[in-house]
Amino acid sequence: MQTEPFDFDCADGRRVRARLDRPDGQVRAYALFAHCFTCGKDNLAATRISRALADEGVATLRLDFAGIGEQGVAAMPQGFSVDVGDLVAAAAHMAAHGCAPGLLVGHSLGGAAAIAAAGDIPSVKAVATVGAPFDVAHVLHLLGPGAETVKPGERHEASVGGRPVSVGAGFADDLKMQDQTTRLANLKRALLVLHSPVDQIVGIEESAGIFLAAKHPKSFVSLDTADHLLSKPADAAYAASVIAAWASRYLDLMEAEVTTPPADGVVRVAETGAGKFQVKVEAGGAMLLADEPVSVGGLASGPTPYELVAAGLGACTVMTLRLYAERKGLALERASVEVRHDRQAGQTPADLFERTLTLEGALDDGQRARLFEIADKCPVHRTLEAGARVVTRTTAAMAAPAETEHFAQMDDVCRA
């Protein structure tokens, strides 16, 4: 599983922290996860469910609701309506990057927020709740006396499930004005309700209210002995596997593509359908993703094309140094290189690859100087400096690739 930052800005100017957990293989669908009342995107339940969904091929975005800081920082919820708005904004951000969520998953009060937000997210076809309350004002009894009488400028401090929480004026009124009954009756999305009969934070009777208010298609799954926060990894994994299997009936899941590996010496690059730029790169029996940064409309799910070129230069450099050192009997323990690409306007050529070598081992000054000279003679370095021809053919006319001379060229360098 891979995880990457996916932050976005809300209409009120707030920067919302988010992470996108994606499978190692092909993405089959996208989901949006709403965390519980006192938690954040990085709490155990959120990360375990999100990552377990990724293992099922469902890339999942988890975000910090307004007022929720990094782990270990006191929670200061801004209000249920703000949380709902954050979910809608997150879904719009995902859609803008080519990964609109088809599944909405919410844990605890996040489940209630998912129900409230679903109607404003056109791409969502299925909603799953885990330990969610039917009456969102249910959370008030967890905050203790005084939560409903907070005056402007004041905050009410409490502890919920051992976690500090702070709420301000209007928080209670916002909860009380939510009409979940009408929302569930008009949901028009498939609904899955998961709840544990031994949940000590949100009682099992709350799930009954959700289930009865919703129309079909709807399903209920008992989480048996799980606690409210799904603190056991097995419980989170079970919930995620059930959600993924259930949602597959309602989502347009992308079928896992089955292709034969590319021939030796051939690099195959194909669009994945995720985002605007993401591609799958297959070569040498391995697979990786390439992409562009979020700032230019990509998902930042892999190296950029120029970073791949830089990787080729770096790999060729280190391999060449290793072959030369072994042939000459040099005490080179480890070679590494960092490569940076830049474009310099007004320069010829405009593209600059800056290489920084690190050579470890008992080498004298003369040996190090010679290795630096050899680095400049690696085959990819020569190709970049000399230029290359690119011939494009259609698939029908594509012939078998000519035998590569890469290592033959490298060996010639090492004999020098």
Side-chain angles (χ1 to χ4, degrees), residues 297-338:
L299 299 176
S301 59
T304 67
Y306 274 108
E307 287 171 341
L308 290 175
V309 175
L313 174 61
C316 184
T317 300
V318 171
M319 292 177 185
T320 301
L321 292 174
R322 173 51 56 198
L323 286 174
Y324 181 82
E326 289 184 355
R327 187 173 297 278
K328 299 299 182 180
L330 303 183
L332 176 63
E333 295 179 2
R334 182 173 181 265
S336 62
V337 60
E338 293 184 358

Side-chain angles (χ1 to χ4, degrees), residues 209-223:
I210 295 173
F211 193 80
L212 292 175
K215 297 178 181 178
H216 286 288
K218 57 182 178 180
S219 304
F220 176 83
V221 172
S222 173
L223 295 178

Side-chain angles (χ1 to χ4, degrees), residues 125 127 187-192 211 214-219 246 249-250:
K125 297 181 178 179
V127 179
L187 189 60
K188 297 180 181 179
R189 273 88 170 166
L191 176 67
L192 173 64
F211 193 80
K215 297 178 181 178
H216 286 288
K218 57 182 178 180
S219 304
W246 166 84
R249 186 177 185 88
Y250 306 102

Side-chain angles (χ1 to χ4, degrees), residues 53-387:
L53 283 170
D55 287 341
E56 299 290 336
V58 181
T60 305
L61 183 76
R62 45 191 168 94
L63 68 151
D64 281 332
F65 284 136
I68 301 292
E70 296 299 309
Q71 268 188 318
V73 178
M76 296 187 294
Q78 300 297 303
F80 185 80
S81 295
V82 176
D83 292 350
V84 173
D86 284 356
L87 285 177
V88 175
H93 183 64
M94 294 176 73
H97 288 80
C99 52
L103 172 64
L104 198 50
V105 183
H107 177 216
S108 191
L109 192 63
I115 292 171
D120 293 321
I121 305 177
S123 62
V124 167
K125 297 181 178 179
V127 179
T129 66
V130 181
F134 169 60
D135 179 9
V136 295
H138 164 87
V139 75
L140 290 176
H141 86 274
L142 301 175
L143 298 176
E148 300 182 52
T149 58
V150 183
K151 297 178 181 179
E154 297 180 346
R155 300 201 69 83
H156 174 75
E157 311 292 336
S159 176
V160 178
R163 300 170 185 266
V165 62
S166 172
V167 299
F171 180 82
D173 291 338
D174 185 39
L175 290 177
K176 292 176 181 179
M177 66 181 286
Q178 306 300 324
D179 184 2
Q180 294 293 84
T181 300
T182 299
R183 285 169 172 158
L184 284 162
N186 298 323
L187 189 60
K188 297 180 181 179
R189 273 88 170 166
L191 176 67
L192 173 64
V193 180
L194 300 98
H195 214 113
S196 169
V198 296
D199 191 325
Q200 299 298 306
I201 304 298
V202 179
I204 187 69
E205 66 277 1
E206 292 291 321
S207 67
I210 295 173
F211 193 80
L212 292 175
K215 297 178 181 178
H216 286 288
K218 57 182 178 180
S219 304
F220 176 83
V221 172
S222 173
L223 295 178
D224 298 328
T225 59
D227 60 23
H228 182 69
L229 294 177
L230 302 182
S231 57
K232 296 179 181 177
D235 291 331
Y238 172 71
S241 64
V242 169
I243 292 170
W246 166 84
S248 66
R249 186 177 185 88
Y250 306 102
L251 303 181
D252 296 326
L253 294 181
M254 292 175 276
E255 293 297 328
E257 185 179 9
V258 179
T259 59
T260 57
D264 291 344
V266 173
V267 177
R268 179 187 293 151
V269 181
E271 291 182 303
T272 65
K276 295 180 180 179
F277 302 114
Q278 188 190 84
V279 294
K280 178 173 68 173
V281 181
E282 297 176 274
M287 188 278 286
L288 72 153
L289 297 176
D291 207 340
E292 291 286 357
V294 173
S295 60
V296 297
L299 299 176
S301 59
T304 67
Y306 274 108
E307 287 171 341
L308 290 175
V309 175
L313 174 61
C316 184
T317 300
V318 171
M319 292 177 185
T320 301
L321 292 174
R322 173 51 56 198
L323 286 174
Y324 181 82
E326 289 184 355
R327 187 173 297 278
K328 299 299 182 180
L330 303 183
L332 176 63
E333 295 179 2
R334 182 173 181 265
S336 62
V337 60
E338 293 184 358
V339 183
R340 180 186 299 275
H341 170 259
D342 192 18
R343 288 187 64 84
Q344 299 180 320
Q347 299 291 320
T348 303
D351 290 284
L352 171 67
F353 287 91
E354 183 179 2
R355 196 168 40 182
T356 303
L357 294 178
T358 300
L359 305 176
E360 301 175 20
L363 302 166
D364 60 35
D365 291 342
Q367 291 170 332
R368 289 180 181 275
R370 182 57 177 156
L371 286 170
F372 269 75
E373 291 176 2
I374 292 299
D376 287 342
K377 296 181 180 181
C378 89
V380 173
H381 182 137
R382 288 177 166 180
T383 297
L384 288 173
E385 286 197 330

